[in-house]
Amino acid sequence: MTRLAKLEQWKGTLNKCIRCGYCYEHCQIYKSSRWEIDSPRGKLILLYGLLSGEVEPSDYVANKLFECFHCNRCQKACSSGVPIQEVYADAREFFLEAGFDVVGTTSQTNHDLCARCLNCVRMCPHEARSFIDGKIVTDRLKCQSCGSCLDICSEKAITIGRGFGTNPDELQQAVKSFFSQNRNAKAVVFSCSWSTYPGFQTASFGEQEDDPEALTLITVCSGRLGAHTVLETLLQGAWGVLICCCPEKDCEHGGSRRAKARIGTLLKTLEQIGIDPRRVQISEVAQGNTKLFSDTRQRFMEEIRRLGPLQAGGSL
Amino acid sequence: MSPVKSNLQAVLQAGKFAVTAEAGPPRGVRPEVLRDKARILKGWVDACNVTDNQTSVVRLCSLAACKILQDEGQETVMQMVCRDRNRIAAQSDILGAAALGIHNLLCLSGDHQVFGDHPQAKNVFDIDSIQLLNIATRMRDESKFAGGKDIDGAPDLFIGASANPFADPFKIQVPRLAKKVAAGAQFIQTQSIFDLEKFKEWMNGVRDRGLHEQTAILAGITPIKSLRMAEYMATNVAGMDVPDAILERMRGVDKKEQKQEGIKIAVETIQQLREVEGVRGIHIMAIEWEEAVPEIVQQAGLVRG
Amino acid sequence: MILAELKPIEEILSYLGGAERVLLVGCHGCVTVCGAGGQKEVDLLADTLELALKARSQTIKIGKRTLERQCDAEFLTEMLQEAKQFDVILSLACGAGVQLVAEKAGSLRVLPALNTTSIGVAEQKGQWGERCQACGDCKLPLTGGICPVTRCSKSLLNGPCGGSSQGLCEIGNGTPCGWQLIIDRLEATGCLDQYETILEPADWSSARDGGPRKLIREDLK
């Protein structure tokens, strides 16, 4: 076996990349950091450097390859037909076998906090978590960084190494700044990356990004959005919260189903505490259905404006 | 052998084909309702079963209802379920029944309270039907309470149990009958029989073990009042098998004639059951339709006397 | 483990009355494992209460803590110190934990946030089922390792009743017939002949019926 194992076979394929950059338009990771090295193109160049000997394998490079939400949109957008995910897969295997310290966007468990309840092991849609030698261990090749395990954990022992804006604390921070900086801030749209992101990006990205009334945040899979984040958003002053998720049959992570169950429970709670359940809505938007995303968002905003602020003495 | 106090027991011991029927007590305080039922059934049956808060719906108590019926000259079988009474209450009621001249006791587990009008109730199930059979038998034969102390006197009882050949798992239904016989069941009243083939299969197993000689099996008959009732029993009652052929037959007749068709099916079933070796009688459960009993008995050629 | 689930929020609010300072106390024990009373649930309940009070234009001071276990007094000490600044302790422990906190909390009101439902096991992801009623006289050797007291809806020691149909109990909700399970298990282990042994009435004096039970170990004193 040669120096970079299975990775060697991709040398010719990597030559096919013409650096057009269509891939990074679709990459959640790049959209968040805006660094070339976080884009698929940047990662392919890194691998190219590895194969040519200009780049040395390192923890840094290894981690870059594991920073991925597995949406596969880069590969679909590639004008040269580079099988990006297959290349990544071999690179990841190489780095793990070579013993590099890798976290990337895979889910990690704090063993001191972990109660060994095994709920994350059972529910992981990719069978990436197991109980070995007294600890919960993530199979970093299987983990698709969907984050389904995050909100499952009662001990808050599970984290995603780097969230690129999608981790619960990052979402909550973004909500906080939005409401403190916008006098007209009214709502937050948490949207599943798979279903809404392409539409979000190609249709009316600018308009929605600059909307002073509603902040749109990408959650990767809707299944990772905790009820806690929704409640925090209402407490920050939101009049309402919209969650957009894939149709259940499309969600590869079982996340839509779980999100709906979780929001369903939350709605019952809201009703019991006297808050109009129309303030929190969850809606299915299929991948690429830009118009539906836009219409859903618009209808929701109209309803929220009618309901008015969630405040004492006012309409609840 | 000293003469038995139970008419039902005497009939069976004489080798006659026994007929019992069920009478549900009212959901109220009026004894006339029971007296009316006694008038309908009297002379047509050897004994009349009085249900004990059947389907967990509160009704006038079985013990009092038995007394009212017996005062009208109708012998009764007091049903007793384990759902509502612990071993203290059960034995106390048995003593009471014996003192009032009630000499037939049917020991049952009882439907779960979830079916009734008080699903919030706590169920007792201190003992189960087999243990109740054991306790009652010991009270009669050894004059002992379950706790071991002596009874002043002994209740003179003919003790029975139920059997459901249509419940699952089927393979355990003969061994289960054997347990009930071993626990003291002198007679058995079965679940309503619509699926004769399955019943016969069960009886084959019963005869293989000679259980039909150790206990008197009374086959359960429920006349179907309407197509709706048949469909309800087929789909909503656990442990009741209503074959499609019966449903088809009910569908095939005009609504007005469904009652008559139901009686006809019941009579035909009885005639076939009489051919089954080991069946010593029938038990008619005409739910809130006691008027059907005389007709069935007459048509089946089972007139008493 | 002990299984529990959150009470409806309106019930919790009705018990809290006008309390303005509430200390939420989770437990890292069983209720964390079944996702009812761990840190995450403490956070969630805190936010829910805050939002509920905000909706009623009231303010509330909420404290949060999650203890190693609430059923051991040693783990309560620090929390009880902090609790002096609160009007009410809202415990997310099982009934046992809540009661020990109440015993130790002096004049402070202690309320439960959970309903304790049973002693059970994880049956599959997101589903737990009851397995033990703590009757104090384990009958599992006689019934193939499946408890008739718990798994049979009527606790029949000599089941099944006539309501067993296609493996299911007459009470519905897809509840398996406990006796079907027992018979299957007896058969699988070659012990079906045990079925015909009549089990005597249970001695419930070792169960709750005999009064609150104690466990005493002289060797641990």
Side-chain angles (χ1 to χ4, degrees), chain A residues 113 115-119 122-125 150-156 226-229 231-232 234-238 257-258 262 266 268-270 272-275 310-313 316, chain C residues 6-11 13 27-29 31-41 43-52 54-58 64 66 122-126 128:
Chain A
L113 297 178
R116 276 83 171 153
C117 71
L118 304 180
N119 290 331
R122 289 185 200 114
M123 65 71 59
C124 174
L150 288 181
D151 194 61
I152 290 293
C153 183
S154 284
E155 294 287 28
K156 298 194 284 184
H228 180 60
T229 305
L231 287 173
E232 284 287 329
L234 293 173
L235 284 168
Q236 287 298 330
R257 189 183 43 75
R258 275 195 305 280
R262 192 174 294 150
L266 180 65
K268 278 184 208 141
T269 303
L270 290 180
Q272 287 181 24
I273 63 176
I275 289 174
L310 201 169
Q311 64 182 13
L316 295 174
Chain C
L6 187 69
K7 280 181 176 286
I9 188 70
E10 56 191 350
E11 187 188 339
L13 283 167
C27 177
H28 286 303
V31 293
T32 285
V33 178
C34 66
Q39 285 201 60
K40 186 192 86 178
E41 289 76 25
D43 281 353
L44 202 56
L45 183 56
D47 276 0
T48 310
L49 289 176
E50 207 175 315
L51 197 61
K54 188 180 173 186
R56 290 164 165 75
S57 63
Q58 292 164 12
K64 298 191 278 191
T66 302
E123 292 179 334
Q124 50 172 286
K125 58 181 176 182
W128 289 265

Side-chain angles (χ1 to χ4, degrees), chain C residues 173-206:
Chain C
N173 302 320
T175 308
C177 166
W179 271 94
Q180 174 83 55
L181 299 175
I182 292 170
I183 289 157
D184 290 348
R185 188 79 194 122
L186 287 175
E187 196 171 21
T189 52
C191 303
L192 197 54
D193 55 331
Q194 272 184 32
Y195 173 77
E196 285 202 35
T197 308
I198 294 177
L199 297 191
E200 293 296 310
D203 176 355
W204 298 112
S205 67
S206 61

Side-chain angles (χ1 to χ4, degrees), chain A residues 205-225:
Chain A
F205 185 78
E207 174 202 315
Q208 286 173 7
E209 193 169 60
D210 298 333
D211 187 345
E213 289 200 328
L215 172 69
T216 302
L217 291 170
I218 304 298
T219 60
V220 186
C221 178
S222 58
R224 82 157 57 176
L225 183 73

Side-chain angles (χ1 to χ4, degrees), chain A residues 22 80 91 113 192 202 213 258 269 272 292 299 306:
Chain A
Y22 287 176
S80 306
L113 297 178
C192 153
T202 54
E213 289 200 328
R258 275 195 305 280
T269 303
Q272 287 181 24
L292 182 58
R299 255 202 322 276
R306 269 199 305 278

Side-chain angles (χ1 to χ4, degrees), chain B residues 15-284:
Chain B
K16 289 183 204 152
F17 196 78
V19 177
T20 57
E22 201 159 283
R27 303 204 65 205
V29 296
R30 294 187 306 117
E32 311 89 84
V33 180
L34 286 158
R35 290 184 192 127
D36 288 347
K37 290 188 181 189
R39 273 189 285 279
I40 294 168
L41 297 173
K42 199 173 158 186
W44 295 100
V45 296
D46 299 313
C48 160
N49 274 48
V50 179
T51 52
D52 180 10
N53 297 304
Q54 192 181 8
T55 65
S56 308
V57 168
V58 179
R59 291 173 183 275
L60 190 151
C61 81
S62 176
L63 177 54
C66 282
K67 171 70 175 146
I68 293 164
L69 288 170
Q70 295 210 155
D71 285 351
E72 294 298 306
Q74 176 58 59
E75 172 161 302
T76 59
V77 176
M78 183 172 85
Q79 296 195 355
M80 180 179 281
V81 300
C82 298
R83 177 192 61 230
D84 307 325
R85 41 174 83 67
N86 65 12
R87 63 193 82 176
I88 301 172
Q91 293 177 97
S92 164
D93 283 356
I94 288 171
L95 295 182
L100 290 171
I102 297 159
H103 296 296
N104 302 306
L105 175 72
L106 190 78
C107 303
L108 303 165
S109 299
D111 295 315
H112 195 272
Q113 75 277 5
V114 79
F115 296 106
D117 54 355
H118 293 74
Q120 310 85 351
K122 183 172 163 68
N123 61 37
V124 181
F125 294 116
D126 170 27
I127 49 175
D128 60 31
S129 58
I130 289 178
Q131 292 161 347
L132 179 59
L133 281 168
N134 241 333
I135 289 172
T137 304
R138 194 158 172 236
M139 287 173 81
R140 178 194 63 202
D141 296 348
E142 298 172 34
S143 195
K144 294 263 190 216
F145 287 113
K149 291 274 195 289
D150 291 334
I151 304 173
D152 176 12
D156 197 337
L157 291 172
F158 186 46
I159 301 170
S162 67
N164 185 358
F166 312 103
D168 288 320
F170 181 70
K171 65 168 172 278
I172 219 73
Q173 297 309 328
V174 172
R176 181 157 175 75
L177 180 70
K179 279 179 95 165
K180 290 194 172 185
V181 171
Q186 296 166 288
F187 69 100
I188 294 293
Q189 291 175 323
T190 78
Q191 172 66 287
S192 308
I193 298 159
F194 298 104
D195 184 346
L196 265 156
E197 290 317 305
K198 196 156 189 190
F199 176 74
K200 285 178 185 167
E201 196 185 335
W202 178 72
M203 281 302 294
N204 285 340
V206 170
R207 283 193 306 271
D208 284 348
R209 294 188 54 166
L211 296 170
H212 64 304
E213 283 159 356
Q214 297 165 47
T215 192
I217 294 170
L218 310 187
I221 292 289
T222 292
I224 300 169
K225 217 171 177 176
S226 63
L227 173 62
R228 241 185 68 193
M229 175 185 172
E231 286 171 340
Y232 180 84
M233 289 193 300
T235 50
N236 294 334
V237 183
M240 202 176 249
D241 263 0
V242 184
D244 290 341
I246 299 241
L247 292 172
E248 280 311 309
R249 220 174 130 177
M250 291 304 285
R251 279 190 198 109
V253 295
D254 199 65
K255 204 166 174 191
K256 301 194 293 285
E257 285 152 26
Q258 282 175 358
K259 275 188 176 183
Q260 273 316 308
E261 190 67 16
I263 288 178
K264 218 169 135 194
I265 294 171
V267 171
E268 288 169 22
T269 310
I270 293 168
Q271 277 155 356
Q272 294 186 60
L273 286 167
R274 291 188 73 175
E275 303 299 314
V276 179
E277 189 195 340
V279 173
R280 307 265 301 274
I282 52 159
H283 174 55
I284 306 169

